mmCIF file of all heavy atoms in Angstrom:
data_model
loop_
_atom_site.group_PDB
_atom_site.id
_atom_site.type_symbol
_atom_site.label_atom_id
_atom_site.label_comp_id
_atom_site.label_asym_id
_atom_site.label_seq_id
_atom_site.Cartn_x
_atom_site.Cartn_y
_atom_site.Cartn_z
ATOM 1 N N VAL A 228 6.195 13.073 -3.406
ATOM 2 C CA VAL A 228 7.650 12.854 -3.309
ATOM 3 C C VAL A 228 8.270 12.674 -4.713
ATOM 4 O O VAL A 228 9.490 12.668 -4.830
ATOM 5 C CB VAL A 228 7.947 11.640 -2.423
ATOM 6 C CG1 VAL A 228 7.574 11.932 -0.995
ATOM 7 C CG2 VAL A 228 7.273 10.400 -2.951
ATOM 8 N N ALA A 229 7.478 12.463 -5.745
ATOM 9 C CA ALA A 229 8.015 12.243 -7.094
ATOM 10 C C ALA A 229 6.891 12.428 -8.084
ATOM 11 O O ALA A 229 5.716 12.654 -7.730
ATOM 12 C CB ALA A 229 8.592 10.846 -7.196
ATOM 13 N N GLY A 230 7.249 12.331 -9.352
ATOM 14 C CA GLY A 230 6.289 12.426 -10.409
ATOM 15 C C GLY A 230 6.649 11.449 -11.529
ATOM 16 O O GLY A 230 7.808 11.104 -11.684
ATOM 17 N N ILE A 231 5.607 11.007 -12.251
ATOM 18 C CA ILE A 231 5.791 10.134 -13.422
ATOM 19 C C ILE A 231 5.179 10.849 -14.591
ATOM 20 O O ILE A 231 4.072 11.446 -14.476
ATOM 21 C CB ILE A 231 5.126 8.773 -13.213
ATOM 22 C CG1 ILE A 231 5.778 7.999 -12.096
ATOM 23 C CG2 ILE A 231 5.131 7.969 -14.506
ATOM 24 C CD1 ILE A 231 5.071 6.689 -11.781
ATOM 25 N N SER A 232 5.825 10.805 -15.766
ATOM 26 C CA SER A 232 5.240 11.449 -16.954
ATOM 27 C C SER A 232 5.358 10.515 -18.179
ATOM 28 O O SER A 232 6.279 9.693 -18.278
ATOM 29 C CB SER A 232 5.867 12.768 -17.254
ATOM 30 O OG SER A 232 7.185 12.618 -17.743
ATOM 31 N N ILE A 233 4.426 10.687 -19.086
ATOM 32 C CA ILE A 233 4.437 10.045 -20.399
ATOM 33 C C ILE A 233 4.530 11.166 -21.399
ATOM 34 O O ILE A 233 3.688 12.060 -21.441
ATOM 35 C CB ILE A 233 3.150 9.249 -20.659
ATOM 36 C CG1 ILE A 233 2.873 8.279 -19.525
ATOM 37 C CG2 ILE A 233 3.205 8.545 -22.003
ATOM 38 C CD1 ILE A 233 1.492 7.598 -19.620
ATOM 39 N N ALA A 234 5.605 11.144 -22.218
ATOM 40 C CA ALA A 234 5.893 12.264 -23.113
ATOM 41 C C ALA A 234 6.146 11.798 -24.554
ATOM 42 O O ALA A 234 6.668 10.703 -24.771
ATOM 43 C CB ALA A 234 7.089 13.066 -22.584
ATOM 44 N N SER A 235 5.816 12.676 -25.486
ATOM 45 C CA SER A 235 6.094 12.394 -26.882
ATOM 46 C C SER A 235 5.931 13.687 -27.680
ATOM 47 O O SER A 235 5.572 14.734 -27.111
ATOM 48 C CB SER A 235 5.160 11.311 -27.425
ATOM 49 O OG SER A 235 5.645 10.841 -28.680
ATOM 50 N N THR A 236 6.175 13.605 -28.983
ATOM 51 C CA THR A 236 6.018 14.765 -29.844
ATOM 52 C C THR A 236 4.540 14.888 -30.263
ATOM 53 O O THR A 236 3.782 13.931 -30.208
ATOM 54 C CB THR A 236 6.902 14.635 -31.079
ATOM 55 O OG1 THR A 236 6.640 13.399 -31.741
ATOM 56 C CG2 THR A 236 8.386 14.688 -30.685
ATOM 57 N N VAL A 237 4.201 16.093 -30.721
ATOM 58 C CA VAL A 237 2.796 16.374 -31.070
ATOM 59 C C VAL A 237 2.148 15.344 -31.993
ATOM 60 O O VAL A 237 1.029 14.908 -31.738
ATOM 61 C CB VAL A 237 2.674 17.783 -31.649
ATOM 62 C CG1 VAL A 237 1.311 18.032 -32.243
ATOM 63 C CG2 VAL A 237 2.981 18.850 -30.577
ATOM 64 N N PRO A 238 2.815 14.867 -33.047
ATOM 65 C CA PRO A 238 2.151 13.888 -33.930
ATOM 66 C C PRO A 238 1.742 12.597 -33.211
ATOM 67 O O PRO A 238 0.787 11.974 -33.592
ATOM 68 C CB PRO A 238 3.200 13.608 -35.021
ATOM 69 C CG PRO A 238 4.066 14.815 -35.037
ATOM 70 C CD PRO A 238 4.135 15.288 -33.616
ATOM 71 N N TYR A 239 2.491 12.235 -32.152
ATOM 72 C CA TYR A 239 2.183 11.039 -31.414
ATOM 73 C C TYR A 239 1.425 11.319 -30.096
ATOM 74 O O TYR A 239 1.109 10.389 -29.362
ATOM 75 C CB TYR A 239 3.507 10.298 -31.075
ATOM 76 C CG TYR A 239 4.261 9.853 -32.278
ATOM 77 C CD1 TYR A 239 5.325 10.636 -32.790
ATOM 78 C CD2 TYR A 239 3.972 8.672 -32.946
ATOM 79 C CE1 TYR A 239 6.004 10.230 -33.928
ATOM 80 C CE2 TYR A 239 4.658 8.263 -34.087
ATOM 81 C CZ TYR A 239 5.694 9.051 -34.522
ATOM 82 O OH TYR A 239 6.366 8.660 -35.672
ATOM 83 N N MET A 240 1.206 12.636 -29.834
ATOM 84 C CA MET A 240 0.547 12.979 -28.587
ATOM 85 C C MET A 240 -0.517 14.045 -28.834
ATOM 86 O O MET A 240 -0.450 15.163 -28.325
ATOM 87 C CB MET A 240 1.587 13.511 -27.585
ATOM 88 C CG MET A 240 1.086 13.652 -26.154
ATOM 89 S SD MET A 240 0.620 12.119 -25.362
ATOM 90 C CE MET A 240 2.241 11.412 -24.961
ATOM 91 N N PRO A 241 -1.550 13.734 -29.616
ATOM 92 C CA PRO A 241 -2.648 14.654 -29.783
ATOM 93 C C PRO A 241 -3.434 14.819 -28.476
ATOM 94 O O PRO A 241 -3.290 13.976 -27.566
ATOM 95 C CB PRO A 241 -3.514 13.984 -30.882
ATOM 96 C CG PRO A 241 -3.210 12.534 -30.743
ATOM 97 C CD PRO A 241 -1.780 12.455 -30.330
ATOM 98 N N LEU A 242 -4.224 15.872 -28.416
ATOM 99 C CA LEU A 242 -4.935 16.159 -27.182
ATOM 100 C C LEU A 242 -5.865 15.002 -26.787
ATOM 101 O O LEU A 242 -6.074 14.717 -25.606
ATOM 102 C CB LEU A 242 -5.723 17.432 -27.324
ATOM 103 C CG LEU A 242 -4.901 18.721 -27.505
ATOM 104 C CD1 LEU A 242 -5.807 19.926 -27.722
ATOM 105 C CD2 LEU A 242 -3.988 18.944 -26.323
#
Side-chain angles (χ1 to χ4, degrees):
V228 293
I231 295 175
S232 72
I233 306 172
S235 193
T236 55
V237 170
Y239 299 96
M240 192 65 76
L242 295 177

